[in-house]
Amino acid sequence: DTGVSQDPRHKITKRGQNVTFRCDPISEHNRLYWYRQTLGQGPEFLTYFQNEAQLEKSRLLSDRFSAERPKGSFSTLEIQRTEQGDSAMYLCAPSVGPITDTQYFGPGTRLTVL
Amino acid sequence: GDSVTQMEGPVTLSEEAFLTINCTYTATGYPSLFWYVQYPGEGLQLLLKATKADDKGSNKGFEATYRKETTSFHLEKGSVQVSDSAVYFCALSVAGSGNTGKLIFGQGTTLQVKP
């Protein structure tokens, strides 16, 4: 158990719809990362929060994507006007301590866009 | 830019065989190195890590040594079990000014161990 929950675990949506995912670290983590993993590939970095501040966004994060971390605890990732290419596993990974300290991955949200 | 390259899989071994999964990296700074494992139907789990040159990370019989001179972090296990069947990911993160510690992953290597 990594102490990280993600909701929903699975999401099927039609192209063009908006979806929102949530990540809840159980304990206090000042840093939180989002990654995306497609089939047969390693996870790719999407965005990074330190407390409530979003400090880095990947170029993978188009303007259809937005992420928030109000109060520096849970985080949400929203995708607007979903496309079939958005189908992937979305992973969050909280961390605490030095910047290269271990990131503990949540179970992920699997998104399927029809 | 920073990158990680893993040997291509799948790797198929018999139980009790010796395992090596090669991993090399390119980094502009001084990275920390990680191996993560993903068992079938489960999430990513940290297997081991090393934060400086010549450090050896170890866990569950797996080992990897941080080799700065060859920019490598090869994963080894002396005797694999069927339960080791999984996908293994090598990753790095770089500290220092302007870096956020994001992980950069290799493409993963699938290991299948047969009884």
Side-chain angles (χ1 to χ4, degrees):
Chain A
D1 185 4
T2 61
V4 183
S5 63
Q6 290 189 245
D7 184 67
R9 295 292 304 276
H10 302 274
K11 179 70 177 178
I12 300 174
T13 191
K14 293 183 179 179
R15 190 174 52 187
Q17 298 296 304
N18 300 343
V19 294
T20 300
F21 313 138
R22 180 178 169 120
C23 170
D24 278 273
I26 293 179
S27 56
E28 293 298 321
H29 292 85
N30 59 326
R31 288 197 296 283
L32 189 143
Y33 302 81
W34 282 97
Y35 295 85
R36 181 174 71 183
Q37 185 178 19
T38 53
L39 200 61
Q41 300 297 317
E44 296 174 292
F45 169 76
L46 290 179
T47 190
Y48 164 69
F49 288 87
Q50 184 166 319
N51 299 311
E52 66 274 10
Q54 188 175 20
L55 297 185
E56 185 176 358
K57 293 194 290 187
S58 162
R59 54 186 168 81
L60 292 175
L61 218 65
S62 74
D63 56 5
R64 296 185 297 106
F65 288 71
S66 62
E68 293 183 340
R69 195 182 183 205
K71 304 178 183 178
S73 56
F74 72 92
S75 179
T76 59
L77 177 68
E78 181 183 13
I79 309 174
Q80 295 183 328
R81 305 180 303 281
T82 52
E83 302 173 354
Q84 288 185 325
D86 297 331
S87 295
M89 179 75 86
Y90 290 84
L91 302 165
C92 78
S95 184
V96 64
I99 202 146
T100 54
D101 206 359
T102 302
Q103 296 175 30
Y104 293 95
F105 283 80
T109 294
R110 180 168 296 283
L111 173 66
T112 302
V113 181
L114 301 176
Chain B
D2 300 338
S3 65
V4 174
T5 302
Q6 290 181 235
M7 64 186 286
E8 289 192 17
V11 174
T12 303
L13 296 173
S14 298
E15 208 164 23
E16 299 183 3
F18 184 86
L19 168 70
T20 300
I21 300 178
N22 290 338
C23 170
T24 57
Y25 67 89
T26 302
T28 51
Y30 196 179
S32 292
L33 301 173
F34 304 82
W35 278 100
Y36 280 83
V37 59
Q38 193 166 34
Y39 297 103
E42 297 186 17
L44 273 169
Q45 302 175 24
L46 177 70
L47 182 59
L48 53 83
K49 69 177 184 181
T51 58
K52 61 182 187 295
D54 300 324
D55 267 2
K56 178 185 285 188
S58 62
N59 186 26
K60 300 182 181 180
F62 291 89
E63 294 182 339
T65 301
Y66 188 140
R67 300 288 188 199
K68 187 178 179 183
E69 63 276 13
T70 55
T71 62
S72 64
F73 193 54
H74 304 320
L75 183 68
E76 297 182 335
K77 187 175 185 182
S79 176
V80 294
Q81 305 300 312
V82 172
S83 58
D84 295 326
S85 298
V87 183
Y88 293 81
F89 294 94
C90 185
L92 67 82
S93 77
V94 180
S97 178
N99 289 305
T100 57
K102 65 189 176 194
L103 287 166
I104 296 170
F105 286 86
Q107 75 272 29
T109 302
T110 300
L111 170 65
Q112 184 177 28
V113 181
K114 296 186 173 180

